Amino acid sequence: MSEKQNRSGFVFKTYEAPYQSPFDKLFEIFKELITHTSGDFDEAIDWLRQLDMEYKLTTPEYTIDDFIEDLKKKGYIREEIDPNGTGAGKTTITAKTERAIRQQALDHIFGKIKRSGSGNHKSKGVGIGDEHTGEFRAYQFGDALEKVSMTESLRNAQINHGVGNFNLTEDDLVVEETLHKSQMSTVLMIDISHSMILYGEDRITPAKKVAMALAELITTRYPKDTLEILVFGNDAWPIKIKDLPYLNVGPYHTNTVAGLQLAMDMLRRKRNTNKQIFMITDGKPSCLRMPDGQYYKNSVGLDPYIVNKCYAMAQQARRLHIPITTFMIAEDPYLMRFVREFTQANRGKAFYTGLKGLGEMIFEDYENNRKKRIKG
């Protein structure tokens, strides 16, 4: 065999994006738009038509109308009959689209984490466990045989002894590291007060995307974990994962205390799990519901009465061993000071994120927290 034939190396080519059908290209954009419009199909299609006029997304062979037909055929949208009998139907998205939106949110956020290399948290729980980490180490006396990775061990034997004279020794054996599998119960609180869309900045859509991505991660990768979601404005109430694409802000103040009370009620019902609260908010607490049902509201500065109630809730959560991680989408110094004191009262954590990096921070924190073993 000649020297030329033995040569090996790399061949560099111009990057070519993977092929996407006309439907797939439009569907990626449509999923983003339907999230921004809180599930309003007609508004999303209007935006898509405007984008098509500006950026020439379609061709005469495949138009927006063709795309809508395909959405129907593939089960992503359905026509709802008007109950008043007028004959005018309304087009809505289906559960299949809701799942696709959650998956896209997960891919966008989790993909960024993989590319950046962040989120690689070391855990003190590595050892004898039942959750695979993908990391290997040399076999040690006492390791259970079922933990031995046969594929990696055989590969070592071939490298060390050659294929022609196969021999497997103890030195060839490797064991895959595992984690003690802990269950995590998480409540995600989302602020839907009016300030989440004030000042020309859409803050609710990134919060929705994070919630959808987190829900998809937990249901597909950690099915034993639980995620419950609540929203809080003047009051707090739970919402279902399937309701997330349709979430809107309201003309509300921020009743942080009501949100924390509901979150702790949800977590009290969870047994033998790690528990945590994630709170996404951009504003100060400005509302309380009094025992007589009336609302006490004050949007001017930080009201000491409301703030002290928040601190009391933080301390109560600490006594229940429920850490609160606050993701603050604001950078006002006096609000940051409030969050710092709130966090100290709970001994939790706080991130002052803005909107950039919100998803990555929440995912890293979730992955890190769930590796901690249950105590007691």
Side-chain angles (χ1 to χ4, degrees), residues 26-289:
L26 291 176
F27 192 48
E28 289 296 304
I29 302 169
F30 172 77
K31 285 183 286 187
E32 284 289 328
L33 295 176
I34 203 71
T35 303
H36 279 275
T37 62
S38 298
D40 189 321
F41 174 80
D42 292 334
E43 186 180 357
I45 289 297
D46 285 344
W47 284 14
L48 188 60
R49 292 187 191 279
Q50 291 178 35
L51 290 171
D52 183 30
M53 290 174 61
E54 187 170 351
Y55 297 105
K56 309 299 182 199
L57 303 175
T58 64
T59 64
E61 291 76 29
Y62 194 85
T63 65
I64 297 293
D65 290 331
D66 294 326
F67 173 66
I68 294 172
E69 257 330 288
D70 279 347
L71 286 174
K72 291 178 184 175
K73 291 176 183 176
K74 294 175 185 287
Y76 288 110
I77 59 174
R78 65 171 179 267
E79 293 282 344
E80 289 190 346
I81 306 298
D82 185 359
N84 297 323
T86 61
K90 182 181 178 183
T91 303
T92 61
I93 63 174
T94 64
K96 186 177 180 180
T97 307
E98 294 164 5
R99 287 193 300 272
I101 295 170
R102 291 198 298 269
Q103 184 60 55
Q104 180 176 5
L106 176 62
D107 291 343
H108 285 178
I109 294 173
F110 208 60
K112 287 179 184 176
I113 293 174
K114 287 181 177 178
R115 285 195 297 274
S116 68
S118 58
N120 182 23
H121 299 279
K122 298 298 182 184
S123 168
K124 296 178 182 177
V126 171
I128 301 173
D130 56 359
E131 183 168 308
H132 298 280
T133 66
E135 298 177 359
F136 299 94
R137 61 170 174 80
Y139 173 84
Q140 298 173 355
F141 179 77
D143 285 333
L145 289 178
E146 63 266 20
K147 301 299 181 185
V148 173
S149 171
M150 291 308 298
T151 303
E152 292 296 317
S153 299
L154 291 172
R155 179 173 172 272
N156 279 350
Q158 291 176 344
I159 293 171
N160 295 335
H161 311 295
V163 178
N165 183 25
F166 178 75
N167 188 22
L168 180 67
T169 69
E170 184 178 332
D171 292 335
D172 301 321
L173 299 178
V174 293
V175 172
E176 185 175 4
E177 293 279 29
T178 54
L179 291 169
H180 291 277
K181 183 176 287 185
S182 60
Q183 287 179 267
M184 176 65 75
S185 296
T186 303
V187 173
L188 177 62
M189 297 172 51
I190 303 176
D191 183 350
I192 58 166
S193 61
H194 188 52
S195 58
M196 290 289 276
I197 55 168
L198 282 180
Y199 317 119
E201 186 172 51
D202 176 10
R203 296 167 173 175
I204 191 64
T205 300
K208 285 194 294 187
K209 285 184 179 179
V210 167
M212 289 189 290
L214 196 57
E216 190 68 11
L217 176 80
I218 290 173
T219 54
T220 57
R221 184 169 173 180
Y222 303 120
K224 290 186 178 180
D225 288 7
T226 65
L227 174 68
E228 295 185 81
I229 303 168
L230 67 85
V231 294
F232 62 105
N234 290 351
D235 294 290
W237 59 94
I239 63 170
K240 296 179 180 178
I241 291 172
K242 68 181 183 63
D243 298 329
L244 280 168
Y246 313 101
L247 190 61
N248 262 317
V249 300
Y252 305 127
H253 286 69
T254 308
N255 191 345
T256 306
V257 168
L260 292 169
Q261 286 174 331
L262 179 56
M264 282 188 276
D265 286 344
M266 289 173 164
L267 290 173
R268 279 192 189 97
R269 298 192 293 269
K270 306 297 180 184
R271 302 288 182 185
N272 302 319
T273 69
N274 293 317
K275 301 174 184 180
Q276 65 181 353
I277 295 172
F278 286 167
M279 177 167 64
I280 303 175
T281 182
D282 75 322
K284 57 184 175 291
S286 58
C287 176
L288 286 175
R289 190 165 189 176

